[in-house]
Amino acid sequence: MTLEDRFKSAVRRAYGAAGVRLQEHHAESLASVYANWAQGADEGVVARVERALAQSLGVRA
């Protein structure tokens, strides 16, 4: 799974848990931004970004 795929899944889970339905192109766009930001980061940073995404929407990761 690529970093972008991983964040696409995280975006869908977080927004879905918050009760927000995203169009596919919005999920892809957000995932791309997160993946570019986290490029080269270690696993701990990537996991914290995934949790922060969920927390920013008021849901648990």
Side-chain angles (χ1 to χ4, degrees):
M1 177 179 278
T2 67
L3 192 56
E4 191 159 340
D5 289 336
R6 183 171 172 180
F7 278 113
K8 195 181 301 181
S9 294
V11 164
R12 286 183 186 129
R13 278 192 314 272
Y15 277 81
V20 177
R21 181 175 155 86
L22 288 178
Q23 293 182 357
E24 184 61 25
H25 68 276
H26 290 146
E28 289 175 2
S29 179
L30 285 169
S32 178
V33 169
Y34 284 110
N36 286 333
W37 181 83
Q39 192 69 35
D42 65 33
E43 176 60 30
V45 170
V46 172
R48 284 193 301 273
V49 171
E50 288 177 323
R51 285 191 303 274
L53 167 63
Q55 289 172 350
S56 73
L57 295 167
V59 297
R60 294 186 68 124

